[in-house]
Amino acid sequence: MPEIIRTLIDRRERPKPSVLPEELRSAYGGDLWFPPSASQRPYVIANFVSTVDGVVSYEIAGKSGGGTISGFDESDRFIMGLLRASADAVMVGSGTLHQTTAEHLFVADHVCPEARDLYAHYRSGILKKTAPRSRLS
């Protein structure tokens, strides 16, 4: 994956150990983390693409999606896939839903198939860490 997106400064303390598996951390260019939520409540992560001047949709039938805005940029698709692999649910707006085909899948593998195995490895690690423990064990 190209190294186009970089964090310039972030003073927040990062959790240890790393969240991402090594291959995915290398492809992303660092670790991914989300701040702890109050009382373990869920939180929302927003992701969208815009032009430099703030356009998020051309509002042209068949050309109103983020891919048209980003030029179908590989880095954008990779990050969108990573965020979707991190999520338990993906919400989309009604306009997006109406503009996509019925076969479209809003999952990481569909957004960036090249990173399918990396996302699956990452997701399996998340599920292991969050799986409820049996009282019998």
Side-chain angles (χ1 to χ4, degrees):
M1 299 292 149
E3 292 187 27
I4 295 175
I5 299 170
R6 296 193 181 271
T7 301
L8 298 178
I9 188 167
D10 188 346
R11 293 188 173 136
R12 295 175 285 186
E13 195 170 314
R14 308 231 175 206
K16 301 283 183 209
S18 177
V19 174
L20 297 177
E22 180 58 37
E23 287 181 69
L24 195 51
R25 189 170 54 252
S26 175
Y28 181 58
D31 203 7
L32 176 71
W33 66 281
F34 302 103
S37 58
S39 303
Q40 297 303 309
R41 293 178 51 186
Y43 52 88
V44 176
I45 302 164
N47 175 246
F48 62 91
V49 64
S50 73
T51 62
V52 173
D53 58 350
V55 173
V56 296
S57 174
Y58 291 129
E59 296 183 16
I60 300 170
K63 297 188 182 284
S64 62
T68 304
I69 298 292
S70 74
F72 297 92
D73 184 77
E74 184 179 332
S75 297
D76 286 338
R77 290 184 308 109
F78 174 77
I79 290 174
M80 184 184 299
L82 180 58
L83 291 175
R84 288 183 182 185
S86 301
D88 291 326
V90 175
M91 295 185 296
V92 297
S94 63
T96 299
L97 188 60
H98 291 242
Q99 296 252 344
T100 57
T101 64
E103 297 81 28
H104 184 81
L105 301 174
F106 292 94
V107 296
D109 294 2
H110 187 75
V111 174
C112 186
E114 303 84 5
R116 171 180 284 126
D117 293 339
L118 296 175
Y119 297 147
H121 180 70
Y122 167 53
R123 190 74 191 153
S124 69
I126 291 173
L127 294 175
K128 286 178 188 173
K129 291 176 187 173
T130 60
R133 296 179 185 218
S134 167
R135 290 186 161 187
L136 299 176
S137 56

